[in-house]
Amino acid sequence: PALQAELVRRVIAFTHALRLGLRGIDDLSDLKSFLSPDELASLASETTRPSAISKGTADLIQRAWARGWVHPLHVGLLEQSLVSLTDIQGACERIKNTPIPLSYTPLIHRIVAVYCYGLPFGVVSEGGARTPFVVLVVSYAFFGLDTIGDEIEQPFGTDDNDLPLDQMSRRSEVNLRQRRGETDLPPLLEPVGEFLS
């Protein structure tokens, strides 16, 4: 049970560290409940903290196997779970670190502006008196899509439309702790207005 509790704490720490890393937050206070003070101190100098936590978890699994606490058949399953977590981390970091070409945003803004400016001249012969309405609807759609493009460039931030990483990591923590039979659980995060953080 102690080994199981330690593994669960480490997975929770990984989840919170991934959230903090994706948001660029350099604060380890959310990890204090899950890792030893020595490990927290060593994480301060790490550039990729979730990877360091995964490495520590892999070391723990190997030590537990060497002591006979983990059946040899289960070691592979535990290590495969770590590989899955690392794959998720890598995918998220690729999304975060993939640069948007510098010319992309200004080019899209200009194309939308020029198109919407020239639209009345293109539809006036067919639209007649309805031209302002047609231009308004089409321009609204194009400027809306342009704004959506700006919003989804960084999905891991803290804007209202970004992924609710706080809520997701808290839900993972609660689910993992419930699997262990714990009852003193942190509350799930509720939306503030219409948005989760």
Side-chain angles (χ1 to χ4, degrees):
L3 175 62
Q4 183 188 55
E6 177 66 15
L7 289 172
V8 167
R9 281 194 299 271
R10 296 188 68 78
V11 171
I12 294 169
F14 173 90
T15 303
H16 288 300
L18 180 58
R19 168 181 52 87
L20 295 170
L22 291 173
R23 288 191 168 166
I25 298 172
D26 188 28
D27 179 14
L28 298 174
S29 61
D30 287 355
L31 308 180
K32 285 181 182 176
S33 303
F34 310 109
L35 300 173
S36 69
D38 290 341
E39 189 167 6
L40 276 174
S42 71
L43 283 178
S45 63
E46 292 284 345
T47 55
T48 310
R49 292 171 179 159
S51 294
I53 293 170
S54 290
K55 170 72 168 83
T57 305
D59 293 344
L60 174 64
I61 291 168
Q62 287 300 316
R63 287 193 308 271
W65 171 74
R67 293 178 181 161
W69 296 348
V70 178
H71 191 280
L73 293 176
H74 294 159
V75 172
L77 294 173
L78 291 169
E79 288 180 345
Q80 185 55 45
S81 296
L82 284 178
V83 168
S84 296
L85 289 175
T86 304
D87 288 345
I88 291 167
Q89 173 192 345
C92 290
E93 288 178 351
R94 278 192 298 279
I95 291 169
K96 178 186 178 201
N97 295 325
T98 300
I100 302 295
L102 293 176
S103 59
Y104 171 80
T105 301
L107 178 65
I108 295 299
H109 291 325
R110 290 176 189 148
I111 288 172
V112 168
V114 168
Y115 179 82
C116 292
Y117 176 76
L119 184 62
F121 303 107
V123 298
V124 70
S125 62
E126 294 291 325
R130 294 184 305 263
T131 298
F133 176 74
V134 171
V135 169
L136 178 68
V137 170
V138 173
S139 296
Y140 177 80
F142 273 90
F143 280 112
L145 291 171
D146 185 31
T147 302
I148 290 170
D150 289 342
E151 284 289 324
I152 62 175
E153 285 180 11
Q154 178 45 275
F156 302 117
T158 56
D159 293 338
D160 289 339
N161 292 321
D162 290 334
L163 292 172
L165 297 184
D166 292 338
Q167 189 265 351
M168 292 165 77
S169 58
R170 175 67 63 85
R171 182 171 294 282
S172 293
E173 175 185 345
V174 168
N175 288 342
L176 287 166
R177 291 174 66 179
Q178 280 180 330
R179 297 296 68 81
R180 290 208 62 252
E182 294 183 33
T183 55
D184 184 22
L185 302 170
L188 293 175
L189 299 178
E190 297 295 328
V192 176
E194 299 177 12
F195 300 101
L196 286 166
S197 60

